[in-house]
C-alpha cells in the first residue's frame, strides 16, 4: 500500500478506499472512484491520499485497494467477512451480505470498530499474487478533475448537437431550393401548354361562330402537334401562334444532342449547340 507496484505491466500506487456510504462528517474529504453496481455500492477514495501519492510518485497513477480487488474478482460476495492483512492484527476488511458487498473499513489489533461481533477467526483472508490483479478502466481522480471531464463531455455533446442542426438546416435548404427549381420549371411548361391549348380553343371557337364558305380542316395539323407533344413533353410555342398563321414555330431543350431532333418529313428542325431545338411546322392554309 502507498508504494509503487506493477500490475499488468503498469507501475502504479494503491491507496485505501472505502466501499459503501461515507460518514457525513467526512463526505467533503472523499471522491467517488467507482459508481455503484448491483453487487457493490459506490467506492470512494480520500482526496488527500490521491494528492499525497501524486506528490510522492508523480508518474504513477493511483488506484483504490478494494476497487482493484473487486475488479480482479478476488472478493467473494457470498462470504460475510473478508480481510486484507497488513500486519498480524491490523489490516482492511470488507463486509458482504446476501450476495452483495455492504461496507469496508479498517481493523486494528484484531478489533473491528464497525461491529464488535466481528472476529478475525471468522474472517477469510484475501491472498493474491500481483499477476492475479486486474486494473479498473479508470484511475482515481480528484473531484475537480471529474467535474472538468463532465464539463468537457457536456461541451462535446452540445458541439455535436450544433453540427447536426447545421447539417439538418443545410439539407432542408438544399431540398427546398431543388423543389422550388423543379416547381418553377414545371409551372413554365404548364403555362406554355396552356397557352397552346387556349390558342387551339380560340381557333375552334372561331370555327363555330364564323360562317365560312369553305370549312377549314386542321385535323392533320392537330395530329402532328399531338405527335410532337407526346414525344417532347417540354415542347413550347414561340409566342402566340394559331393554326391560321401558315407556319408554327416550336422549340424545346434537350440533353441528348442532335440525335433527339425529329426526322419527320412534315417538320423542319434546327439544333443549337446549347441544347435548344427549333421546329418549323408548315400549317395547311384553308
Amino acid at each position: 500500500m502507498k508504494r509503487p507496484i506493477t500490475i499488468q505491466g503498469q507501475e502504479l500506487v494503491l491507496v485505501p478506499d472505502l466501499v459503501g456510504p461515507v460518514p457525513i462528517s467526512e463526505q467533503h474529504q472523499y471522491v467517488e472512484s467507482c459508481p455503484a453496481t448491483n453487487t457493490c455500492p459506490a467506492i470512494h477514495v480520500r482526496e488527500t491520499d490521491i494528492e499525497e501519492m501524486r506528490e510522492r510518485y508523480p508518474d504513477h497513477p493511483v488506484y483504490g485497494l478494494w476497487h482493484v480487488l473487486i475488479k480482479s474478482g478476488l472478493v467473494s460476495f457470498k462470504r460475510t467477512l473478508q480481510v486484507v492483512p497488513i500486519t498480524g492484527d491490523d489490516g482492511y476488511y470488507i463486509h458482504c451480505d446476501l450476495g452483495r458487498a455492504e461496507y469496508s473499513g479498517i481493523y486494528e489489533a484484531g478489533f473491528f470498530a464497525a461491529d464488535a461481533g466481528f472476529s478475525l477467526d471468522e474472517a477469510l483472508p484475501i491472498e493474491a499474487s500481483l499477476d492475479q490483479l486486474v486494473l479498473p478502466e479508470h484511475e482515481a481522480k480528484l473531484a475537480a478533475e471529474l467535474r472538468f471531464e463532465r464539463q468537457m463531455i457536456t461541451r462535446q455533446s452540445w458541439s455535436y448537437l450544433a453540427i447536426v442542426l447545421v447539417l439538418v438546416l443545410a439539407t432542408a435548404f438544399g431540398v427546398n431550393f431543388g423543389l422550388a427549381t423543379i416547381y418553377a420549371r414545371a409551372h413554365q411548361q404548364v403555362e406554355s401548354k396552356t397557352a397552346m391549348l387556349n390558342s387551339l380553343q380560340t381557333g375552334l371557337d372561331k370555327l363555330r361562330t364564323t360562317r365560312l364558305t369553305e370549312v377549314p380542316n386542321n385535323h392533320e395539323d392537330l395530329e402532328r402537334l399531338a405527335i410532337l407533344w407526346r414525344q417532347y413533353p417540354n415542347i413550347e410555342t414561340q409566342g402566340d401562334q394559331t393554326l391560321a398563321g401558315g407556319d408554327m414555330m416550336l422549340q424545346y431543350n434537350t440533353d441528348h444532342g442532335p440525335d433527339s431532333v425529329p426526322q419527320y418529313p412534315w417538320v423542319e428542325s434546327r439544333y443549337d449547340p446549347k441544347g435548344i431545338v427549333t421546329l418549323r411546322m408548315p400549317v395547311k392554309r384553308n
Side-chain angles (χ1 to χ4, degrees), residues 19-210:
V19 177
V22 179
I24 296 178
S25 60
E26 300 179 8
Q27 286 183 352
H28 64 283
Q29 302 178 21
Y30 283 84
V31 61
E32 184 179 286
S33 62
C34 179
T37 65
N38 61 330
T39 57
C40 182
I43 302 176
H44 296 79
V45 178
R46 195 185 300 269
E47 285 198 288
T48 54
D49 287 340
I50 300 175
E51 292 171 340
E52 179 186 353
M53 292 302 101
R54 287 182 176 179
E55 184 177 350
R56 229 189 262 180
Y57 310 104
D59 298 328
H60 294 65
V62 179
Y63 290 87
L65 172 66
W66 291 115
H67 193 188
V68 172
L69 293 176
I70 292 173
K71 176 65 177 180
S72 304
L74 298 174
V75 175
S76 174
F77 300 118
K78 297 180 180 180
R79 295 300 298 261
T80 302
L81 184 64
Q82 296 163 84
V83 296
V84 177
I86 301 300
T87 65
D89 295 322
D90 303 325
Y92 304 95
Y93 73 92
I94 186 170
H95 175 260
C96 301
D97 186 28
L98 300 177
R100 188 176 189 272
E102 293 292 326
Y103 56 86
S104 67
I106 301 174
Y107 67 91
E108 297 177 332
F111 177 72
F112 296 82
D115 192 329
F118 289 166
S119 170
L120 281 177
D121 296 334
E122 301 173 354
L124 173 67
I126 298 177
E127 298 178 355
S129 59
L130 292 179
D131 59 358
Q132 292 180 274
L133 299 180
V134 177
L135 290 180
E137 290 80 4
H138 305 288
E139 62 183 276
K141 297 181 181 179
L142 301 175
E145 295 171 338
L146 294 176
R147 283 195 299 271
F148 178 76
E149 289 181 355
R150 286 193 291 268
Q151 290 173 356
M152 291 301 296
I153 292 174
T154 302
R155 290 175 183 175
Q156 289 178 353
S157 300
W158 281 109
S159 298
Y160 293 148
L161 179 60
I163 292 173
V164 170
L165 289 176
V166 170
L167 291 176
V168 170
L169 291 175
T171 302
F173 177 80
V175 171
N176 185 64
F177 179 79
L179 292 177
T181 303
I182 294 174
Y183 172 80
R185 186 179 302 167
H187 185 68
Q188 183 179 4
Q189 292 179 357
V190 169
E191 286 184 343
S192 174
K193 293 178 180 179
T194 301
M196 183 184 294
L197 289 175
N198 290 337
S199 176
L200 295 175
Q201 186 64 46
T202 300
L204 292 175
D205 292 341
K206 286 183 179 179
L207 290 176
R208 295 192 186 98
T209 58
T210 305

Side-chain angles (χ1 to χ4, degrees), residues 3-14 53 57-63 130 135 139:
R3 62 187 181 194
I5 60 173
T6 302
I7 298 177
Q8 294 183 316
Q10 181 176 357
E11 290 192 352
L12 55 98
V13 180
L14 289 179
M53 292 302 101
Y57 310 104
D59 298 328
H60 294 65
V62 179
Y63 290 87
L130 292 179
L135 290 180
E139 62 183 276

